[in-house]
Amino acid sequence: MNGLITLNLYPYNLYVLYASIVLLVIFLILTVTKLMPLAQAANSLKPTTERMTANLNDMSKKATAFGTKLSKAVTLIKTALPWLLLLKAANDLYNESDENGVKEFGRSTIKAYKKREDEKKLAKNVAKILKK
């Protein structure tokens, strides 16, 4: 045999194999028993996470609805504010005038509108001059 020493441990090889299989089964059983509480905890957390996602979806829907209402209110304010300012200016001119009545309020409104338009034109001309 060319100087090689061979040992024949035939029955002991099988014993080592059986012992390793038994140890593997024991470790598998221990692993499964230790993982069962973790699996149960994960299952008990599932309804909580589902409620949280449902609440989150509900809150996002409410936020989008509130955002649309808010944008509508902002556009309403943006359209109404110039008219309210015009009425305020017209009322101030009406209070400064000597005459009373609906005709005078109409004249005051026209004067306030012309004054506002003149101020806008002046602001545009100043902006053009400053750009150059």
Side-chain angles (χ1 to χ4, degrees):
M1 288 233 176
N2 297 341
L4 290 177
I5 301 172
T6 58
L7 288 172
N8 190 1
L9 300 174
Y10 168 70
Y12 301 111
N13 289 341
L14 291 178
Y15 297 141
V16 170
L17 177 66
Y18 295 147
S20 64
I21 290 174
V22 168
L23 279 175
L24 180 65
V25 169
I26 290 172
F27 284 131
L28 285 175
I29 290 170
L30 287 175
T31 304
V32 168
T33 57
K34 294 294 182 180
L35 286 179
M36 287 305 289
L38 181 63
Q40 290 172 354
N43 285 338
S44 67
L45 288 177
K46 192 173 184 179
T48 306
T49 55
E50 288 174 357
R51 274 188 310 218
M52 288 172 63
T53 55
N55 288 341
L56 185 64
N57 291 337
D58 187 38
M59 286 173 42
S60 66
K61 287 178 185 176
K62 287 180 182 177
T64 55
F66 180 72
T68 56
K69 287 180 183 178
L70 186 65
S71 65
K72 288 179 183 178
V74 166
T75 55
L76 178 66
I77 289 172
K78 283 183 179 179
T79 55
L81 188 62
W83 294 104
L84 292 175
L85 292 175
L86 179 65
L87 286 176
K88 170 78 168 92
N91 190 27
D92 291 342
L93 288 174
Y94 176 73
N95 288 336
E96 291 174 2
S97 69
D98 294 334
E99 297 180 23
N100 292 330
V102 176
K103 287 184 181 180
E104 182 59 31
F105 190 78
R107 283 187 220 120
S108 299
T109 306
I110 291 171
K111 287 178 189 175
Y113 184 75
K114 285 182 181 178
K115 184 178 177 182
R116 187 176 78 174
E117 290 299 317
D118 292 340
E119 289 174 354
K120 282 184 182 178
K121 286 179 185 177
L122 181 64
K124 284 182 184 178
N125 289 336
V126 169
K128 283 182 184 178
I129 291 171
L130 291 177
K131 280 185 179 179
K132 292 181 181 180

